[in-house]
C-alpha cells in the first residue's frame, strides 16, 4: 500500500497533464500513487494517460463515461479509488513542489491531525513571478483545535493545498458536491465543521499556475452562470454550518464571501458594461441582503461601499466605486466630511463611511486626486485629450501649478474650473517612451507635489502612433504608453547586445586586474562611496566636506548606485559597477567608503584605503555574524582578503576598537577619533528641515522608528514589528511616526496609515531625522549608539529578543540589561510607555549615562577634521617636504 494517493483531475487538458503528473512522480516521497481522474475528455487525454501509465507503474487512470461539468465528480472518483491512507488533490494545470507530499505526510503523522494545510502560491506563467496566497494565514506552524479557534481560516477554502486522512474523510462521509462549480467551498466548510484537530504549515505545498488564457473555472468569472454558482456555494456552505450546529460561525464564513468571493467580481467590474453590472447586482443582492450589518462592517471600507451600492441598486455609482478596489485604488469623484467622518459620494450615509481609509487626512504629497480622460484622439505622432480632475477631499491649496509627466517629459498644463466641480484640462503631448502618464499639482508655498495616474474608458481601443501605442492598463483602466522597441535602428540594438555580452562581471574584473598592473594610480584622485553607492551620506560625506572645506588638491569622484539627486550638485559621479567605475577604481590613489568596495577587486599597490564603517552596537559582526561564522572557506577567505585592503579604520569608541578589528581580522591602524558622521549630532546641525520635507503638522511630536533587518528575512519587511495600525488609533492626535527602515528592507507603509506614519527609508540623511525627532523607537539597530548623543528618550521593541540573540543574528551585549530606555514586547505596552515617556526616560537615567559612556565617549564633534589631518593632510605635508628636500 502506498503512503499517499495524489488524485489529478483533468478535462481536455492533454497538453498540461504530463507536467502535473510528473510533478507528483518527482516527489521526494517515492512511495505514492497517482490517480488520473478524467472527466470524459474529448481530446488526447486518454492516449497521454496511457503513456504515463506505461512509463511508471505508480500511475492509474480512471475515466468517466460522461462529462460531469465540474470538479466534484472526478475528485469523488479519485477518493473512492485511493489505496493509500492519505490523499491529496491536484488540478492538471497546476503542480506540486518537490517536497510537498513528504513534508505534509511527516506533519500529519507527527500531529495526528485530520488534515494538514499548507501555503498555496500563484505562479504567473507569463513572467514567472510567484505570489503567496493569504500568507498571514500560514505564517506559523501550528495545530488548530477546530475552526472556532481560528475562524479566519475560512479564507482557505482550497482543497488542493491539503493532505487528508482518508479514514477521516470516509468515516465522516465527506464528499464533493457534483452539481455546482465551486464544490471546494462547500467541501471545505464541511471539512472544517467536522474536524476537531488540523495542522497548518508555513511552507509552499502547491503551485497554482495562472495562464493568460484564463481557461479554468475559477477564472471564467465573466460568465454570469459562474456568479450564480458561487452564490449557491455560499448558501450551501452556510447551510452546512447550520446543520452541524455551528451557526455562530456564519459571520466568519460570510466575511470570507465578502473579502474573497465577491471581490473576485468587483475588482474587474469597471471593465464590464452596464448591462452585465446590472445583472450581477441582481444575482448577488438577495444573498447580500441576508448578511448582517456587523459582518459588513468587518470588511474594508470600499468593499462595504460597493455592497451598499448593490443593495440600493445604484449601478452607475457601483462602477465608479469599484475602480477604487484594485491596483492604485482610485479615489472617488466626490466625498463628504461630517463630524470628523468621511463619506463616499455626495450624501452622509452609514454604509458610505470611508473614514478608515484616511484619504482626507493625508499629507499633500500623498493626497489623492481623480483624473478621468473624457476624450482622447491621435493627431499625427501626438495625443490630444481632455481630462476632468476631481478633488474630493479638498487637497488643492489656493496657489498651485499643474503639469503632465510622461516618462521624463514634464509638460505644463492649465486646468480650468469645471461647472460641475473639479477642473478640466486640454492636453497635447508626444509619447516618446513607455510610461504611465500622470498629472501633478505642485503647491507653490513649499514646492510639495502630488501626482496621480489618468483613468480612461475601459473600452478604449489602443491608439496607434508612429513610435508608440496608447492603451488601458489594469481593472481601473489607467492610461499607459508603450513604445515600440522594434522601430529602434538595427545597428543600435546590435551595439547594445554586444555591450551586454562584453560587460560581464568576470570581464570587468579581468580588465581591472590588467589596468592596475599597467597603470599607476593617480595620487590626487579619490573614489568615495557610501552605503555601496546608495547615497552621499554618513562618514564618507563628512570626510568629503572637510576635504572640500580645506581646499585640498584632491579630485573626488562619488560612486552612485541609485538616485543621483541625493549627491551634491558639483560632485563628479560614476555609476557603480560600470566600466567607468572599474577605470576609476584602478586609477584612484585614495579609496574612502563605509561598507566595502567590490570584494574581489584587489587594491592597487600604491592606493590608500580609508574604511569609515557604518555603525557600532550590540550585533555580532564579521566572522562572528551568521553569513561568515559558518565553516565555509570561500566566503571567509573573500572577506579576509577584502579587509586586508584597508589601510586605516575609523573607530567611534573603545568598545568598537575592542570588538570590531578582532572579529574582522583587521590588524592595521585605527583612528579612534569618534565618528565623522556623528560630528553633526554633536554640533546639532541639520542639512534639511525634516518637518517641512516630511509634512509633519505643527504641534505633533516625532517618533523615529528605525528597526534593523532580520538576517533570515532580508527584504521581507518583517523588521517592522510594532503594530502601526494600533499605534495610529491611539497616538495619531499627538505623534507622527517617521519610519526609517534599513536599506536592505522592502516595506511600504499602508496607504491608510500615511496620515500617521511617514516613510523615510530613502530620506538622504538619518542625522536630520534623529535631530528632528522627539524620541527613538528601535530594536537592535546600531542607530541606538548614535542617538545616545542627542540625550533624547529611546524605546526598544524586542518581541523576538530570544530568537534574535540565539539563532537569528547573535549579540555581544544583553540589551535588556544595558538599554538606555524601556524594552517592550507588545505594541500595547509600547503605547503605554510613550504616553508616559518623560517618566520612563527619567527612570533609565543611570543606564542612559552608562550607555553613552560605553559608545559615545570619544565623540567630540571633530572626528572628520582629525581624520583628514592624519589620512590626507599629513600625506600632502610629507610629499611636499620630500619634494622640497629634493629641490634643495
Amino acid at each position: 500500500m502506498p503512503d499517499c494517493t495524489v488524485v489529478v483531475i483533468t478535462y481536455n487538458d492533454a497538453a498540461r497533464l504530463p507536467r502535473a503528473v510528473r510533478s507528483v512522480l518527482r516527489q521526494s516521497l517515492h512511495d505514492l500513487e497517482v490517480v488520473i481522474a478524467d472527466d470524459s475528455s474529448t481530446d488526447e487525454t486518454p492516449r497521454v494517460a496511457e503513456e504515463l501509465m506505461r512509463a511508471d507503474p505508480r500511475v492509474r487512470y480512471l475515466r468517466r463515461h460522461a462529462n460531469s461539468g465540474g470538479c466534484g465528480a472526478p475528485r469523488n472518483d479519485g477518493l473512492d479509488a485511493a489505496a493509500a491512507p492519505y490523499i491529496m488533490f491536484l488540478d492538471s494545470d497546476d503542480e506540486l513542489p518537490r517536497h510537498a507530499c513528504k513534508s505534509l505526510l511527516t506533519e500529519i503523522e507527527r500531529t495526528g491531525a485530520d488534515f494538514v494545510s499548507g501555503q498555496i502560491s500563484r505562479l504567473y506563467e507569463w513572467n514567472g513571478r510567484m505570489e503567496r496566497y493569504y500568507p498571514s494565514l500560514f505564517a506559523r506552524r501550528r495545530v488548530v483545535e477546530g475552526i472556532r479557534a481560528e475562524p479566519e481560516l475560512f479564507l482557505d477554502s482550497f482543497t488542493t493545498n491539503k493532505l487528508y486522512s482518508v479514514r477521516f474523510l470516509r468515516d465522516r462521509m465527506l464528499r464533493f458536491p457534483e452539481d455546482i462549480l465551486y464544490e471546494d467551498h462547500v467541501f471545505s466548510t464541511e471539512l472544517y465543521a467536522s474536524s476537531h484537530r488540523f495542522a497548518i504549515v508555513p511552507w509552499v505545498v502547491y503551485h497554482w499556475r495562472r495562464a493568460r488564457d484564463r481557461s479554468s473555472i475559477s477564472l471564467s468569472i465573466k460568465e454570469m452562470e459562474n456568479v450564480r454558482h458561487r452564490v449557491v456555494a455560499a448558501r450551501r456552505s452556510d447551510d452546512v454550518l447550520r446543520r452541524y450546529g455551528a451557526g455562530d460561525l456564519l459571520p466568519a464564513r460570510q466575511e470570507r464571501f465578502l473579502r474573497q468571493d465577491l471581490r473576485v467580481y468587483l475588482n474587474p467590474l469597471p471593465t464590464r458594461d452596464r448591462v452585465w453590472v446590472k445583472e450581477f447586482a441582481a444575482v448577488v443582492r438577495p444573498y447580500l441582503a441576508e448578511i448582517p450589518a456587523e459582518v459588513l462592517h468587518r470588511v474594508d471600507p470600499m468593499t462595504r461601499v460597493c455592497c451598499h451600492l448593490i443593495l440600493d441598486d445604484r449601478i452607475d455609482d457601483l462602477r465608479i466605486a469599484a475602480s477604487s478596489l484594485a491596483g492604485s485604488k482610485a479615489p472617488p469623484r466626490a466625498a463628504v466630511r461630517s463630524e470628523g467622518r468621511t463619506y463616499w459620494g455626495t450624501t452622509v450615509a452609514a454604509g458610505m463611511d470611508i473614514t478608515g481609509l484616511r484619504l482626507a487626512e493625508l499629507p499633500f504629497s500623498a493626497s489623492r486626486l481623480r483624473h478621468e480622460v473624457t476624450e482622447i484622439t491621435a493627431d499625427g505622432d501626438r495625443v490630444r485629450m481632455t481630462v476632468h480632475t476631481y478633488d474630493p477631499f479638498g487637497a488643492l491649496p489656493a496657489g498651485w501649478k499643474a503639469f503632465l509627466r510622461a516618462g521624463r517629459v514634464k509638460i505644463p498644463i492649465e486646468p480650468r474650473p469645471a461647472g460641475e466641480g473639479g477642473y478640466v484640462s486640454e492636453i497635447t503631448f508626444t509619447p516618446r517612451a513607455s510610461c504611465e502618464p500622470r498629472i501633478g499639482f505642485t503647491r507653490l508655498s513649499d514646492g510639495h507635489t502630488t501626482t496621480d495616474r489618468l483613468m480612461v474608458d475601459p473600452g478604449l481601443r489602443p491608439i496607434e502612433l508612429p513610435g508608440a501605442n496608447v492603451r488601458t492598463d489594469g481593472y481601473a483602466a489607467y492610461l499607459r504608453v508603450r513604445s515600440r522597441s522594434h522601430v529602434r535602428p538595427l545597428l543600435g540594438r546590435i551595439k547594445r547586445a554586444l555591450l551586454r555580452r562584453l560587460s560581464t562581471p568576470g570581464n570587468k574584473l579581468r580588465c581591472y586586474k590588467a589596468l592596475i598592473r599597467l597603470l599607476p594610480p593617480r595620487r590626487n584622485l579619490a573614489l568615495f562611496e557610501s552605503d555601496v553607492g546608495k547615497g552621499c551620506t554618513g562618514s564618507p560625506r563628512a570626510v568629503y566636506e572637510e576635504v572640500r572645506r580645506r581646499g585640498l588638491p584632491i579630485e573626488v569622484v562619488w560612486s552612485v548606485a541609485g538616485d543621483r539627486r541625493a549627491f551634491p550638485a558639483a560632485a563628479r559621479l560614476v555609476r557603480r559597477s560600470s566600466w567607468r567605475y572599474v577605470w576609476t577604481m584602478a586609477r584612484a590613489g585614495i579609496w574612502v567608503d563605509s561598507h566595502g568596495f567590490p570584494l574581489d577587486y584587489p587594491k592597487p599597490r600604491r592606493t590608500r584605503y580609508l574604511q569609515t564603517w557604518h555603525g557600532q552596537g550590540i550585533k555580532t559582526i564579521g566572522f562572528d555574524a551568521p553569513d561568515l561564522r559558518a565553516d565555509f572557506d570561500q566566503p571567509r577567505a573573500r572577506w579576509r582578503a577584502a579587509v586586508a585592503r584597508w589601510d586605516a579604520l575609523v573607530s567611534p569608541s573603545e568598545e568598537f576598537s575592542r570588538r570590531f578589528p578582532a572579529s574582522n581580522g583587521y590588524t592595521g591602524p585605527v583612528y579612534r577619533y569618534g565618528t565623522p558622521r556623528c560630528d553633526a549630532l554633536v554640533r546639532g546641525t541639520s542639512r534639511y528641515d525634516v518637518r517641512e520635507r516630511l509634512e509633519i503638522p505643527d504641534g505633533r511630536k516625532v517618533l523615529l522608528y528605525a528597526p534593523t533587518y532580520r538576517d533570515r528575512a532580508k527584504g521581507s519587511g518583517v523588521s517592522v514589528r510594532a503594530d502601526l495600525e494600533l499605534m495610529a488609533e491611539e497616538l495619531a492626535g499627538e505623534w507622527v511616526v517617521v519610519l526609517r527602515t534599513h536599506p536592505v528592507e522592502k516595506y511600504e507603509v499602508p496607504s491608510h496609515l500615511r496620515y500617521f506614519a511617514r516613510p523615510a527609508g530613502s530620506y538622504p540623511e538619518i542625522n536630520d531625522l534623529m535631530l528632528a525627532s522627539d524620541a527613538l523607537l528601535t530594536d537592535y539597530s546600531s542607530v541606538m549608539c548614535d542617538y545616545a548623543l542627542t540625550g533624547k528618550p529611546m524605546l526598544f521593541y524586542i518581541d523576538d529578543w530570544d530568537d534574535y540573540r540565539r539563532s537569528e543574528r547573535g549579540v555581544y551585549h544583553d540589551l535588556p540589561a544595558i538599554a538606555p530606555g524601556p524594552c517592550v514586547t507588545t505594541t500595547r505596552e509600547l503605547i503605554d510607555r510613550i504616553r508616559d515617556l518623560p517618566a520612563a526616560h527619567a527612570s533609565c537615567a543611570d543606564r542612559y549615562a552608562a550607555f553613552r559612556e560605553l559608545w559615545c565617549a570619544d565623540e567630540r564633534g571633530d572626528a572628520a577634521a582629525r581624520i583628514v589631518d592624519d589620512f590626507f593632510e599629513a600625506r600632502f605635508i610629507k610629499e611636499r617636504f620630500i619634494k622640497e628636500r629634493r629641490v634643495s
Side-chain angles (χ1 to χ4, degrees):
M1 183 173 64
D3 289 330
C4 176
T5 297
V6 179
V7 177
V8 183
I9 65 168
T10 187
Y11 175 69
N12 284 351
D13 198 18
R16 293 180 292 192
L17 177 62
R19 182 183 65 193
V21 171
R22 286 171 187 143
S23 78
V24 182
L25 299 177
R26 288 195 297 263
Q27 290 288 300
S28 54
L29 177 70
H30 295 290
D31 193 8
L32 50 73
E33 68 168 353
V34 180
V35 175
I36 301 174
D38 180 8
D39 198 13
S40 192
S41 296
T42 58
D43 64 354
E44 294 295 310
T45 294
R47 179 186 60 78
V48 170
E50 291 290 339
E51 292 175 356
L52 290 168
M53 284 194 296
R54 284 197 299 269
D56 195 308
R58 294 177 294 172
V59 180
R60 288 194 286 150
Y61 177 54
L62 307 176
R63 176 177 170 82
R64 295 186 65 82
H65 297 298
N67 179 256
S68 68
C71 299
R75 282 185 177 143
N76 287 333
D77 293 344
L79 175 58
D80 292 338
Y86 301 105
I87 190 170
M88 284 189 75
F89 297 98
L90 172 65
D91 294 344
S92 61
D93 53 347
D94 298 330
E95 293 176 287
L96 295 182
R98 187 168 186 270
H99 302 293
C101 293
K102 189 171 187 177
S103 64
L104 291 174
L105 178 64
T106 301
E107 193 71 4
I108 201 169
E109 291 180 338
R110 184 184 71 83
T111 61
D114 299 323
F115 65 92
V116 181
S117 183
Q119 177 74 68
I120 192 167
S121 184
R122 288 183 284 198
L123 193 161
Y124 298 93
E125 294 183 348
W126 56 90
N127 58 17
R129 184 173 64 89
M130 299 188 72
E131 180 182 36
R132 295 192 174 202
Y133 204 73
Y134 287 112
S136 60
L137 297 179
F138 303 92
R140 295 181 297 109
R141 183 179 183 178
R142 62 199 187 276
V143 173
V144 182
E145 303 295 339
I147 189 64
R148 278 188 177 84
E150 296 187 37
E152 64 273 15
L153 286 169
F154 277 123
L155 285 168
D156 174 23
S157 289
F158 290 95
T159 56
T160 51
N161 62 331
K162 297 173 178 64
L163 179 76
Y164 309 84
S165 163
V166 172
R167 173 179 291 181
F168 169 75
L169 295 182
R170 289 174 178 170
D171 287 350
R172 299 297 194 280
M173 293 185 289
L174 293 178
R175 308 281 291 176
F176 291 92
E178 299 186 3
D179 58 341
I180 59 172
L181 297 182
Y182 291 98
E183 78 296 327
D184 48 349
H185 295 189
V186 183
F187 175 86
S188 295
T189 302
E190 189 164 9
L191 178 76
Y192 284 128
S194 302
S195 174
H196 300 293
R197 180 182 177 85
F198 57 92
I200 305 291
V201 296
W203 53 84
V204 174
V205 300
Y206 194 85
H207 288 162
W208 180 17
R209 299 183 70 99
R210 302 290 294 270
R212 285 193 184 276
D213 61 11
R214 296 178 172 268
S215 56
S216 69
I217 290 173
S218 61
L219 295 177
S220 303
I221 56 176
K222 194 174 181 179
E223 305 299 327
M224 197 55 60
E225 193 65 15
N226 187 288
V227 182
R228 293 189 178 93
H229 276 260
R230 199 180 289 257
V231 172
V232 169
R235 287 188 180 279
R236 289 195 189 179
S237 297
D238 292 352
D239 292 340
V240 166
L241 293 178
R242 295 186 184 100
R243 191 168 69 247
Y244 276 82
D248 57 305
L249 292 175
L250 280 174
R253 178 63 184 80
Q254 291 167 343
E255 182 183 352
R256 179 241 141 76
F257 176 83
L258 298 175
R259 289 181 59 185
Q260 174 61 34
D261 298 326
L262 188 64
R263 284 291 297 269
V264 167
Y265 304 102
L266 289 178
N267 286 348
L269 191 139
T271 66
R272 311 296 189 218
D273 60 49
R274 194 178 188 281
V275 173
W276 191 97
V277 177
K278 182 80 172 176
E279 186 177 0
F280 163 76
V283 170
V284 301
R285 186 180 299 118
Y287 183 65
L288 275 184
E290 299 172 12
I291 297 178
E294 58 267 24
V295 178
L296 289 174
H297 280 291
R298 294 183 183 182
V299 298
D300 68 277
M302 284 312 304
T303 299
R304 187 166 61 247
V305 166
C306 289
C307 289
H308 282 278
L309 293 174
I310 291 172
L311 292 171
D312 294 342
D313 199 23
R314 294 166 59 182
I315 302 306
D316 293 327
D317 286 340
L318 175 61
R319 297 181 72 194
I320 296 171
S323 66
S324 301
L325 293 172
S328 298
K329 296 180 170 58
R333 288 179 176 175
V336 177
R337 293 274 286 168
S338 176
E339 298 181 355
R341 310 295 297 178
T342 306
Y343 299 88
W344 191 93
T346 57
T347 58
V348 175
M352 300 291 109
D353 192 329
I354 59 171
T355 308
L357 298 178
R358 303 292 178 178
L359 291 170
E361 303 164 55
L362 295 173
F364 180 74
S365 60
S367 61
R368 301 300 307 277
L369 304 175
R370 185 181 181 105
H371 309 294
E372 294 186 5
V373 178
T374 58
E375 185 178 348
I376 183 169
T377 58
D379 182 8
D381 63 348
R382 299 184 301 175
V383 172
R384 294 184 182 275
M385 58 186 180
T386 302
V387 180
H388 193 140
T389 294
Y390 298 89
D391 180 17
F393 307 107
L396 292 180
W400 48 260
K401 60 180 180 181
F403 60 87
L404 172 79
R405 184 179 295 282
R408 297 181 180 180
V409 179
K410 188 175 179 181
I411 305 166
I413 62 175
E414 297 182 358
R416 64 183 188 277
E420 62 272 29
Y423 300 87
V424 173
S425 307
E426 301 293 339
I427 302 173
T428 301
F429 74 104
T430 303
R432 300 196 182 280
S434 295
C435 65
E436 295 173 347
R438 305 176 75 92
I439 286 181
F441 285 80
T442 299
R443 193 163 57 189
L444 297 180
S445 61
D446 54 19
H448 284 296
T449 296
T450 181
T451 67
D452 249 307
R453 299 165 71 183
L454 280 70
M455 305 174 67
V456 294
D457 184 339
L460 174 73
R461 293 185 177 182
I463 299 175
E464 302 295 337
L465 301 172
N469 61 56
V470 179
R471 60 181 62 215
T472 63
D473 179 50
Y475 290 142
Y478 287 105
L479 193 68
R480 174 180 282 275
V481 173
R482 294 188 183 275
S483 66
R484 298 185 180 181
S485 58
H486 64 271
V487 303
R488 296 175 181 171
L490 178 61
L491 187 60
R493 298 209 308 273
I494 293 174
K495 179 182 176 181
R496 283 187 290 273
L498 183 60
L499 282 175
R500 282 196 298 270
R501 292 287 297 273
L502 293 175
S503 299
T504 63
N507 285 343
K508 288 179 178 178
L509 181 58
R510 282 187 287 271
C511 180
Y512 171 82
K513 291 179 177 179
L515 285 173
I516 64 175
R517 285 195 301 266
L518 297 173
L519 299 174
R522 289 174 48 195
R523 294 186 177 184
N524 68 332
L525 177 62
L527 177 60
F528 275 63
E529 185 172 282
S530 180
D531 195 8
V532 292
K534 293 178 182 175
C536 180
T537 185
S539 290
R541 171 85 180 243
V543 172
Y544 164 78
E545 291 181 342
E546 181 65 18
V547 168
R548 294 273 72 79
R549 188 186 68 79
R550 298 188 185 193
L552 297 180
I554 299 175
E555 181 184 347
V556 175
V557 177
W558 274 95
S559 162
V560 55
D563 190 352
R564 294 172 176 253
R565 292 174 297 180
F567 290 79
R572 281 186 56 195
L573 305 180
V574 60
R575 182 168 55 83
R576 196 175 200 268
S577 301
S578 66
W579 281 109
R580 192 174 295 277
Y581 178 82
V582 172
W583 170 263
T584 306
M585 280 189 71
R587 297 307 316 277
I590 301 170
W591 289 359
V592 180
D593 96 313
S594 61
H595 285 68
F597 286 106
L599 295 182
D600 295 323
Y601 282 65
K603 186 187 64 173
R605 279 175 48 197
R606 288 187 289 277
T607 293
R608 300 172 69 241
Y609 186 172
L610 173 64
Q611 175 55 260
T612 68
W613 206 241
H614 52 275
Q616 58 174 336
I618 68 168
K619 298 187 295 186
T620 57
I621 197 71
F623 296 113
D624 297 337
D627 51 347
L628 290 177
R629 66 175 171 238
D631 191 20
F632 296 108
D633 291 338
Q634 187 173 2
R636 294 169 68 89
R638 289 181 75 204
W639 182 242
R640 193 173 289 110
V643 170
R645 300 178 299 180
W646 302 349
D647 294 294
L649 172 67
V650 174
S651 170
S653 67
E654 180 182 0
E655 178 66 12
F656 183 91
S657 297
R658 184 172 73 89
R659 293 282 188 188
F660 187 91
S663 62
N664 286 275
Y666 177 73
T667 57
V670 175
Y671 292 159
R672 194 178 143 196
Y673 301 148
T675 316
R677 74 169 180 276
C678 289
D679 290 348
L681 293 176
V682 175
R683 296 192 295 265
T685 55
S686 299
R687 296 187 191 280
Y688 311 103
D689 183 346
V690 171
R691 298 187 72 95
E692 189 277 327
R693 291 189 67 158
L694 296 183
E695 302 174 88
I696 298 173
D698 293 337
R700 302 283 177 86
K701 289 181 281 190
V702 175
L703 178 65
L704 174 60
Y705 183 15
T708 192
Y709 65 91
R710 301 303 187 264
D711 290 77
R712 293 182 298 191
K714 292 180 181 178
S716 67
V718 299
S719 65
V720 184
R721 307 181 71 82
D723 186 343
L724 293 178
E725 189 123 16
L726 181 58
M727 291 176 68
E729 291 175 7
E730 301 287 341
L731 302 172
E734 186 178 358
W735 289 84
V736 168
V737 166
V738 172
L739 179 60
R740 174 74 171 200
T741 51
H742 192 279
V744 305
E745 272 290 30
K746 294 179 181 177
Y747 179 84
E748 185 174 350
V749 176
S751 59
H752 69 283
L753 294 179
R754 287 290 299 275
Y755 77 106
F756 170 71
R758 303 290 193 269
S762 59
Y763 194 88
E765 185 53 70
I766 191 173
N767 281 351
D768 292 355
L769 302 179
M770 288 191 272
L771 290 171
S773 66
D774 295 283
L776 170 71
L777 171 61
T778 186
D779 42 22
Y780 321 109
S781 171
S782 61
V783 72
M784 68 177 78
C785 301
D786 294 351
Y787 200 83
L789 287 167
T790 70
K792 291 183 282 192
M794 287 189 262
L795 303 109
F796 299 85
Y797 193 88
I798 56 170
D799 64 320
D800 62 339
W801 166 245
D802 286 337
D803 182 58
Y804 190 85
R805 67 188 177 93
R806 289 174 178 167
S807 59
E808 171 68 35
R809 178 63 180 259
V811 296
Y812 294 125
H813 295 269
D814 183 7
L815 180 60
I818 69 167
C823 292
V824 300
T825 57
T826 67
T827 303
R828 175 55 62 188
E829 186 182 3
L830 171 65
I831 291 169
D832 292 342
R833 293 304 181 100
I834 291 174
R835 284 177 169 158
D836 195 23
L837 193 56
H841 184 45
S843 68
C844 299
D846 292 341
R847 284 198 298 178
Y848 204 117
F851 188 89
R852 185 164 174 163
E853 179 65 24
L854 179 65
W855 302 107
C856 309
D858 294 332
E859 302 290 359
R860 300 182 180 87
D862 61 353
R866 297 175 71 186
I867 288 169
V868 171
D869 283 342
D870 279 10
F871 192 81
F872 294 88
E873 196 83 74
R875 176 183 181 183
F876 284 106
I877 293 174
K878 180 180 178 181
E879 290 179 351
R880 192 180 306 120
F881 173 76
I882 295 172
K883 186 175 182 180
E884 291 174 354
R885 186 173 180 181
R886 286 175 179 170
V887 171
S888 62

